[in-house]
Amino acid sequence: MRLSRYFLPVLKETPAEAQIASHRLMLRAGMIKQSSAGIYSWLPLGWKVLRRIERIVHEEQQRAGHHPMLMPTLQPADLWRESGRYDAYGPEMLRIRDRQDRDMLYGPTNEEMITDIFRSHVSSYRDLPLTLYHIQWKFRDEMRPRFGVMRGREFLMKDGYNFDLDEAAARHAYNRHLVTYLRTYERLGLQAIPMRADSGPIGGEDTHEFLVLAETGESEVFYDSEITDLRFGDRAIDYDDVAQCQGILEEFTSRYARTDETHDEAVFAQVPEDRRRSARGIEVGQIFYFGTKYSEPMGATVQGPDGKPVPVHMGSHGIGVSRLVGAIIEASHDENGIIWPEGVTPFHAGIVNLKQGDAATDSACEGIYRQLVDAGLEPLYDDRSERAGAKFATMDLIGLPWRITVGPRGLQSGKVELTSRRTGESEEVSPEAAVERVKGVYGVE
Amino acid sequence: MRLSRYFLPVLKETPAEAQIASHRLMLRAGMIKQSSAGIYSWLPLGWKVLRRIERIVHEEQQRAGHHPMLMPTLQPADLWRESGRYDAYGPEMLRIRDRQDRDMLYGPTNEEMITDIFRSHVSSYRDLPLTLYHIQWKFRDEMRPRFGVMRGREFLMKDGYNFDLDEAAARHAYNRHLVTYLRTYERLGLQAIPMRADSGPIGGEDTHEFLVLAETGESEVFYDSEITDLRFGDRAIDYDDVAQCQGILEEFTSRYARTDETHDEAVFAQVPEDRRRSARGIEVGQIFYFGTKYSEPMGATVQGPDGKPVPVHMGSHGIGVSRLVGAIIEASHDENGIIWPEGVTPFHAGIVNLKQGDAATDSACEGIYRQLVDAGLEPLYDDRSERAGAKFATMDLIGLPWRITVGPRGLQSGKVELTSRRTGESEEVSPEAAVERVKGVYGVE
């Protein structure tokens, strides 16, 4: 993309309403614009990050054999009356009446709707196990929306639902989801720690929240410091292997790690004192096992191997996709702007032309641009007639991990500058070497 | 994908509520499930088609330099009060009140919101031309939703908006959109004819609708039969070339083609009698030029080259993404089921194992499956223990363009059967040749 043709409305001033770094930086970098309290438009740069996260979520879910689908945003109230949640859910549920005076609602979650789909179409244990998921906009009418996309009202969420014949199979689905989430967050460049949590309005017997440590987190968390040394890494995983998934759950959840809702001082005291930590965390996902809480009242049964009907065991599993954009920024920024992890960066590299209009410089920039595009990468080329300082400031603000700076002086000795946004370190290299280095980072040829 | 692990709830019976082929077939093929009147869940097979269409729309818009973004589904009523449409829009607009008693609405279209984004961020003619678009769910509270996704209430639409300094530039944007739409529909396997139309509640001076001819179409259309011979084909296009885009507009719109709203018998009579046609059509898109209709009342001005403020000239351009799934099926099906065009098929080929459990047959199927996957294609492998007739019926119903049938008898002479869903013709070829043929169809190696 050429910046002269792009829509990147960066702001010079820090918006007064933004209290935390991610909100401030998303507004300043031209990623979002508020349309009403807690509701945002995603401008082109923000949209690209959202899509990259979506794509990683899709890839990791499908790798585990979970099936993508899409449920609508508006739901009939009657479904929620069946589960008893229509009255139980508070004023955060946006209730709507359509022109025929039917009670509708803007879905805050989809347990009822997916259970309805299941009971309409599945009748035999032979069709299990089954996990369906979607990535769709949800609405929760927060009393005090704030912190930008971190606590918005209209938000994008991945929510998945497993259907299994018995508790053991559903426990495996739970573990499988935990593994997919560990992989997903690591690909996003985040460390998200699974912590024992409270089930809230979803209900259920067992649940873990995934928390990213950050000063601006809304939750107080307590954990054994050993947990932050754990990495999923690139180990091979067979999602049908019950013991392997169970082993990973144990590896990542056996140490003390709880939110304040489930924190137990007596148990925490058994952790060696030098490893006890308390901090703040941002919740970026949650997994639940809730057995037959929805399948029983809603009649979601299958015929078991013995011919008798059994209600299916279920769980639900959510990732806050739009909230993750904010969480990543909270975890990765400095005073000059955002620092995108390579996995989610909106553009793979920036190209800064120090002397627009100088034939040799323009030509070198075009060459680098073309080679990166031909390799399947998306560079952002600042081809505007701006001074160098303004171009650097924009690149730092929007946080592309790599910058290639091209100017007449360097070109005289056949060099351009390759700069890492994260370390700030620069190297003088040939244009070809800069392209090869960037391609190497992203594993393309 | 292995069918034994997929969620494909095909129906044997024809659902009573479905009046037209696409609705019937989408329900029977397990693509959608109604959740309330005019509101559908997209089951995995339907979701895949929706995504393929979305992707083609994105590619063609971005090829023309239009920028993707995403506006929210819920909008503040105040924006619509500025344009005067809050009161003017009828009961099809779903009006909502949030917990703070603020008037909101579920967006049926986004002219006001995009104009607000524009005026907040763009102030100079130097930032023009600019076209922004998104693909987002919309809501129109139809009194009588019917025909499945063809006239739903919650529907997925691509809507794009151009901002230009003057009418000439905005006319080029209009022409450019017409070209992108011609390309898009052809890639979807559709012939969609641009017809002079009425502007309706969007307003504006000039507009074309794109119509797919089909008996079940909601519009009566009148056209010169020469128009159905036109093809965009694979001609090269430079979207910055004003004359080229204008030429294509003229080529595709100079012959008589109108909907009943703008039909003029006297003009139509000038078409030679043997070329006069009347038929029914499904509207799958519409482009508008409306000048300063929104920019003037909402104050969307830029500083022109002479320093004076000028209201920008705008247009809006829509493609009915979810409706297209129905339109494609209306245009491409037979008594046995759907016939997907290769551009949008949910799976590239089906593999039918005639004797599940036979070692040689299973092994041949696995080999074909693996080779197609390794080529980047998505085959659907029917690995269930069903009889051949049921497997064929399912494949015909869900409409994959190519089927590879593998059985012990054929394998004895080293052959499998390659069948075209469209022509019904089969050939006996080696497994390797079948794979190569399918790869060739989709242009992969």
Side-chain angles (χ1 to χ4, degrees):
Chain A
M1 180 58 62
R2 290 161 205 279
L3 194 42
S4 63
R5 291 187 148 219
Y6 200 45
F7 182 60
L8 184 71
V10 300
L11 306 179
K12 291 211 176 62
E13 293 82 37
T14 295
E17 76 270 30
Q19 301 167 39
I20 61 172
S22 59
H23 190 192
R24 207 155 54 227
L25 290 171
M26 288 179 76
L27 289 169
R28 285 198 52 215
M31 292 180 64
I32 53 170
K33 180 185 186 310
Q34 180 173 299
S35 73
S36 48
I39 304 182
Y40 293 86
S41 287
W42 293 75
L43 305 182
L45 193 76
W47 180 83
K48 284 179 82 75
V49 177
L50 202 59
R51 285 290 268 202
R52 294 226 196 257
I53 296 174
E54 254 190 33
R55 184 173 174 166
I56 289 172
V57 171
H58 272 305
E59 286 175 358
E60 294 302 330
Q61 289 307 304
Q62 290 176 49
R63 195 194 299 272
H66 304 162
H67 299 297
M69 58 167 310
L70 192 61
M71 288 175 271
T73 61
L74 297 195
Q75 305 187 16
D78 282 345
L79 268 184
W80 288 65
R81 293 195 175 103
E82 285 192 56
S83 71
R85 285 208 293 179
Y86 188 69
D87 294 321
Y89 221 100
E92 292 190 355
M93 177 187 278
L94 186 66
R95 292 154 211 264
I96 298 168
R97 193 159 282 178
D98 74 7
R99 74 190 286 187
Q100 311 269 26
D101 263 342
R102 282 172 295 217
D103 288 325
M104 314 275 296
L105 57 99
Y106 199 123
T109 176
N110 287 68
E111 281 80 9
E112 285 80 359
M113 186 171 277
I114 198 78
T115 303
D116 179 52
I117 290 169
F118 181 88
R119 71 181 173 186
S120 304
H121 290 300
V122 181
S123 56
S124 163
Y125 75 96
R126 282 186 297 264
D127 295 325
L128 304 182
L130 177 66
T131 295
L132 297 166
Y133 78 93
H134 72 159
I135 300 178
Q136 177 61 292
W137 292 90
K138 312 280 189 300
F139 201 90
R140 285 187 198 150
D141 203 354
E142 298 267 358
M143 192 65 183
R144 290 186 53 216
R146 61 203 148 126
F147 304 151
V149 301
M150 297 274 283
R151 183 169 291 199
R153 294 198 292 165
E154 188 171 329
F155 60 98
L156 188 61
M157 195 169 116
K158 171 262 165 183
D159 43 320
Y161 305 87
N162 67 285
F163 301 91
D164 288 279
L165 184 60
D166 54 31
E167 177 171 344
R171 293 267 174 206
H172 173 55
Y174 185 89
N175 300 346
R176 203 173 61 227
H177 278 89
L178 180 127
V179 177
T180 65
Y181 281 27
L182 291 172
R183 285 183 63 109
T184 300
Y185 296 122
E186 279 199 16
R187 284 186 65 187
L188 298 175
L190 281 176
Q191 178 167 48
I193 303 170
M195 299 198 180
R196 191 182 289 189
D198 188 53
S199 67
I202 303 281
E205 300 154 34
D206 208 350
T207 178
H208 284 91
E209 273 182 8
F210 290 77
L211 286 111
V212 173
L213 301 179
E215 282 169 25
T216 47
E218 77 279 42
S219 310
E220 192 172 7
V221 299
F222 303 87
Y223 60 95
D224 178 340
S225 67
E226 281 192 350
I227 213 164
T228 54
D229 298 330
L230 298 173
R231 295 288 178 279
F232 190 84
D234 57 359
R235 59 182 108 179
I237 176 88
D238 172 0
Y239 281 111
D240 291 334
D241 185 332
V242 170
Q244 190 188 19
C245 292
Q246 172 72 25
I248 292 169
L249 172 100
E250 285 165 13
E251 177 185 346
F252 281 84
T253 64
S254 60
R255 290 175 187 77
Y256 193 93
R258 299 194 186 181
T259 63
D260 50 5
E261 290 162 333
T262 55
H263 180 54
D264 184 327
E265 277 295 346
V267 183
F268 193 44
Q270 292 164 28
V271 176
E273 191 168 1
D274 62 325
R275 286 173 15 207
R276 274 179 238 153
R277 299 280 186 283
S278 75
R280 301 205 67 87
I282 301 168
E283 191 211 323
V284 292
Q286 189 161 8
I287 55 177
F288 298 90
Y289 164 67
F290 45 66
T292 60
K293 175 178 158 74
Y294 296 91
S295 58
E296 281 205 43
M298 295 185 67
T301 60
V302 294
Q303 205 175 42
D306 59 1
K308 290 188 186 141
V310 282
V312 289
H313 284 250
M314 295 172 56
S316 70
H317 314 280
I319 292 179
V321 174
S322 49
R323 150 173 278 228
L324 269 167
V325 181
I328 292 168
I329 296 174
E330 289 296 331
S332 184
H333 70 274
D334 63 17
E335 66 281 9
N336 297 320
I338 301 165
I339 305 172
W340 292 116
E342 271 99 358
V344 298
T345 183
F347 293 98
H348 296 100
I351 303 170
V352 168
N353 184 329
L354 291 178
K355 196 166 184 189
Q356 204 71 37
D358 175 71
T361 311
D362 290 358
S363 160
C365 287
E366 292 290 339
I368 292 168
Y369 182 77
R370 182 48 50 201
Q371 288 173 61
L372 291 172
V373 168
D374 288 347
L377 296 176
E378 288 188 83
L380 181 67
Y381 171 23
D382 191 342
D383 60 342
R384 299 170 305 161
S385 301
E386 293 272 353
R387 56 185 182 78
K391 290 189 174 187
F392 290 146
T394 298
M395 285 291 175
D396 282 351
L397 174 61
I398 68 173
L400 309 187
W402 298 92
R403 189 184 79 209
I404 302 172
T405 308
V406 185
R409 200 162 351 165
L411 285 176
Q412 277 176 6
S413 49
K415 300 291 189 190
V416 299
E417 196 180 58
L418 178 66
T419 307
S420 158
R421 175 69 181 87
R422 189 168 294 280
T423 66
E425 285 166 19
S426 288
E427 277 180 85
E428 304 258 306
V429 294
S430 69
E432 297 71 31
V435 167
E436 288 308 312
R437 282 281 298 282
V438 170
K439 284 161 65 175
V441 165
Y442 294 102
V444 299
E445 285 179 19
Chain B
M1 180 60 61
R2 290 160 204 280
L3 194 41
S4 64
R5 291 186 149 219
Y6 200 45
F7 182 61
L8 183 72
V10 301
L11 305 180
K12 291 210 176 60
E13 293 81 35
T14 295
E17 76 269 28
Q19 301 168 40
I20 61 172
S22 59
H23 190 190
R24 207 157 53 228
L25 290 171
M26 288 180 76
L27 289 169
R28 283 197 53 216
M31 291 178 66
I32 53 169
K33 178 185 187 310
Q34 180 173 299
S35 71
S36 48
I39 305 182
Y40 293 87
S41 287
W42 294 76
L43 305 183
L45 193 76
W47 180 83
K48 283 179 84 75
V49 177
L50 202 59
R51 285 289 270 201
R52 295 225 194 259
I53 296 174
E54 255 191 31
R55 185 174 174 164
I56 289 172
V57 170
H58 273 304
E59 286 174 359
E60 293 302 329
Q61 289 307 304
Q62 291 176 48
R63 198 193 299 273
H66 304 162
H67 300 296
M69 59 169 309
L70 192 60
M71 287 176 272
T73 61
L74 297 196
Q75 305 187 17
D78 281 344
L79 269 183
W80 287 64
R81 293 196 174 101
E82 285 192 57
S83 71
R85 285 208 293 178
Y86 188 68
D87 294 323
Y89 220 101
E92 291 189 356
M93 177 188 278
L94 185 65
R95 293 155 209 262
I96 298 168
R97 192 158 284 178
D98 73 8
R99 71 188 288 185
Q100 311 269 25
D101 263 341
R102 284 173 293 219
D103 287 326
M104 315 274 297
L105 57 98
Y106 199 122
T109 176
N110 287 68
E111 282 80 8
E112 286 81 358
M113 187 171 275
I114 198 79
T115 303
D116 179 52
I117 289 169
F118 181 88
R119 71 181 173 186
S120 304
H121 290 300
V122 181
S123 56
S124 164
Y125 74 96
R126 281 187 297 265
D127 295 325
L128 305 181
L130 177 65
T131 294
L132 297 166
Y133 78 93
H134 72 160
I135 301 179
Q136 177 60 295
W137 292 90
K138 311 280 191 297
F139 201 89
R140 284 187 197 150
D141 203 356
E142 298 268 357
M143 192 63 182
R144 289 185 53 218
R146 60 205 148 126
F147 304 150
V149 300
M150 297 275 282
R151 185 170 290 200
R153 295 197 294 163
E154 188 170 328
F155 59 99
L156 188 61
M157 194 168 117
K158 172 261 165 184
D159 42 323
Y161 305 88
N162 67 284
F163 301 91
D164 288 279
L165 184 60
D166 54 30
E167 176 169 346
R171 293 267 174 208
H172 173 56
Y174 185 90
N175 300 347
R176 203 173 60 226
H177 277 90
L178 180 126
V179 177
T180 66
Y181 281 27
L182 291 172
R183 284 183 62 110
T184 301
Y185 296 124
E186 279 199 15
R187 284 187 64 187
L188 298 175
L190 282 176
Q191 179 167 48
I193 303 170
M195 300 198 178
R196 191 182 289 189
D198 187 53
S199 67
I202 303 281
E205 299 155 33
D206 208 349
T207 177
H208 284 91
E209 273 182 7
F210 290 78
L211 287 111
V212 173
L213 301 178
E215 282 169 25
T216 47
E218 77 279 40
S219 309
E220 191 171 9
V221 299
F222 304 86
Y223 61 95
D224 178 339
S225 68
E226 280 192 350
I227 212 163
T228 54
D229 297 330
L230 298 173
R231 294 287 179 280
F232 190 83
D234 57 0
R235 61 181 105 180
I237 177 85
D238 172 0
Y239 281 110
D240 291 333
D241 186 333
V242 170
Q244 190 188 21
C245 292
Q246 173 71 24
I248 293 169
L249 172 101
E250 284 164 13
E251 176 185 347
F252 281 85
T253 65
S254 60
R255 292 175 187 79
Y256 192 92
R258 300 195 186 179
T259 62
D260 49 5
E261 290 162 335
T262 56
H263 180 55
D264 183 328
E265 277 294 346
V267 184
F268 193 45
Q270 293 163 26
V271 177
E273 191 169 0
D274 62 325
R275 286 178 10 209
R276 274 181 238 152
R277 299 280 186 283
S278 75
R280 303 207 63 89
I282 301 168
E283 190 214 323
V284 292
Q286 190 161 7
I287 54 178
F288 298 91
Y289 164 67
F290 45 66
T292 60
K293 176 180 158 71
Y294 297 90
S295 58
E296 282 206 42
M298 294 185 67
T301 60
V302 294
Q303 204 174 42
D306 60 0
K308 290 187 186 143
V310 282
V312 289
H313 284 250
M314 294 172 55
S316 70
H317 315 279
I319 293 180
V321 175
S322 49
R323 151 172 278 226
L324 269 167
V325 181
I328 292 168
I329 296 173
E330 289 296 331
S332 186
H333 69 274
D334 64 16
E335 66 281 9
N336 296 320
I338 302 164
I339 306 173
W340 291 116
E342 271 98 359
V344 298
T345 183
F347 292 97
H348 296 100
I351 302 170
V352 168
N353 184 330
L354 291 178
K355 196 169 182 185
Q356 205 70 40
D358 176 71
T361 311
D362 290 358
S363 160
C365 288
E366 291 289 339
I368 292 167
Y369 182 77
R370 183 49 49 199
Q371 288 172 62
L372 291 172
V373 168
D374 288 347
L377 297 176
E378 290 189 82
L380 180 67
Y381 171 24
D382 192 343
D383 60 343
R384 299 170 304 161
S385 300
E386 293 272 351
R387 59 189 179 75
K391 290 188 174 187
F392 291 147
T394 298
M395 285 291 175
D396 282 352
L397 174 61
I398 68 173
L400 309 187
W402 298 93
R403 189 183 79 210
I404 301 172
T405 308
V406 184
R409 203 163 349 167
L411 284 176
Q412 277 175 7
S413 49
K415 300 291 189 190
V416 299
E417 197 181 57
L418 178 67
T419 307
S420 159
R421 174 71 181 87
R422 190 169 294 279
T423 66
E425 285 166 19
S426 288
E427 278 180 85
E428 304 258 305
V429 295
S430 70
E432 297 70 34
V435 168
E436 287 309 311
R437 282 281 299 282
V438 171
K439 284 161 65 175
V441 166
Y442 294 103
V444 298
E445 284 180 18

